Amino acid sequence: MKQDNSQEIFPIVDEEGRVIGSATRGECHNGSKLLHPVVHLHVFNSKGELYLQKRPEWKDIQPGKWDTAVGGHIDFGETPEDALIREVREELGITDFTPERLGHYVFESKRERELVYMHKTVYDGPIAPSREELAGGRFWSIDEIKSAIGKGILTPNFESEFQKIPYLDTNAH
């Protein structure tokens, strides 16, 4: 059974993203609330639909739920921009995209605290979801997402972040 590497080293940051230490994935996800940075990319197509990935059943957090198109931890010593390019390539096979940074915020759950660097892009090219990391993915209409909120289909993290995405202006670009 595949599982996350609990010994992977993550940077520990303050709320402005300055690295103040390091800890393992296991330490970051065991309820310690050590603040660690992650990158998210919201992938829209030119029709204004939003791509969501399906989390595999083996994940240690929110297995089997639909989530942000790309989300990943920033490795120790890595910049948010480098992490974003790496994660987008690993998770969706996309190498040619132009991210727009939307800002950052602190997400807190019962198990962890993350400093989330949020980005979006408009992309109509091929998407090849990682067979190792994901259980697939597809584009959803905004109405379809709105009707799924609160029904246990989407991750709570995505549901809260969805409210922050300026998705209504995707056609303005």
Side-chain angles (χ1 to χ4, degrees), residues 70 84-95 97 128:
V70 175
L84 187 71
I85 289 165
R86 175 180 55 77
E87 286 289 344
V88 172
R89 186 185 67 241
E90 286 175 4
E91 293 192 358
L92 300 182
I94 298 172
T95 53
F97 70 103

Side-chain angles (χ1 to χ4, degrees), residues 45-153:
N45 61 22
S46 54
K47 294 189 284 196
E49 297 168 326
L50 184 57
Y51 189 90
L52 299 182
Q53 63 156 269
K54 190 163 201 308
R55 294 178 64 78
E57 295 296 339
W58 56 261
K59 290 302 271 183
D60 62 352
I61 291 182
Q62 298 297 328
K65 296 203 174 161
W66 291 88
D67 201 0
T68 308
V70 175
H73 291 90
I74 297 175
D75 290 339
F76 194 81
E78 195 174 36
T79 66
E81 293 69 30
D82 289 344
L84 187 71
I85 289 165
R86 175 180 55 77
E87 286 289 344
V88 172
R89 186 185 67 241
E90 286 175 4
E91 293 192 358
L92 300 182
I94 298 172
T95 53
D96 182 21
F97 70 103
T98 306
E100 177 189 339
R101 194 152 172 184
L102 301 174
H104 61 273
Y105 70 95
V106 174
F107 172 77
E108 185 165 344
S109 70
K110 290 187 183 84
R111 287 183 63 176
E112 63 174 340
R113 279 178 79 222
E114 294 179 332
L115 182 65
V116 180
Y117 290 93
M118 230 186 353
H119 304 78
K120 76 172 186 175
T121 194
V122 176
Y123 179 82
D124 288 312
I127 297 177
S130 163
R131 290 200 173 93
E132 287 189 9
E133 293 196 33
L134 309 179
R138 67 176 176 88
F139 280 100
W140 295 53
S141 73
I142 298 304
D143 287 341
E144 198 181 1
I145 291 170
K146 286 179 175 172
S147 71
I149 286 178
K151 297 188 176 147
I153 297 167

Side-chain angles (χ1 to χ4, degrees), residues 1-6 58-59:
M1 172 93 164
K2 188 167 165 61
Q3 60 182 32
D4 288 316
N5 174 8
S6 64
W58 56 261
K59 290 302 271 183

Side-chain angles (χ1 to χ4, degrees), residues 23-39:
T24 65
R25 173 192 287 268
E27 289 167 332
C28 288
H29 290 176
N30 69 6
S32 66
K33 303 291 177 93
L34 292 167
L35 186 63
H36 56 288
V38 299
V39 288

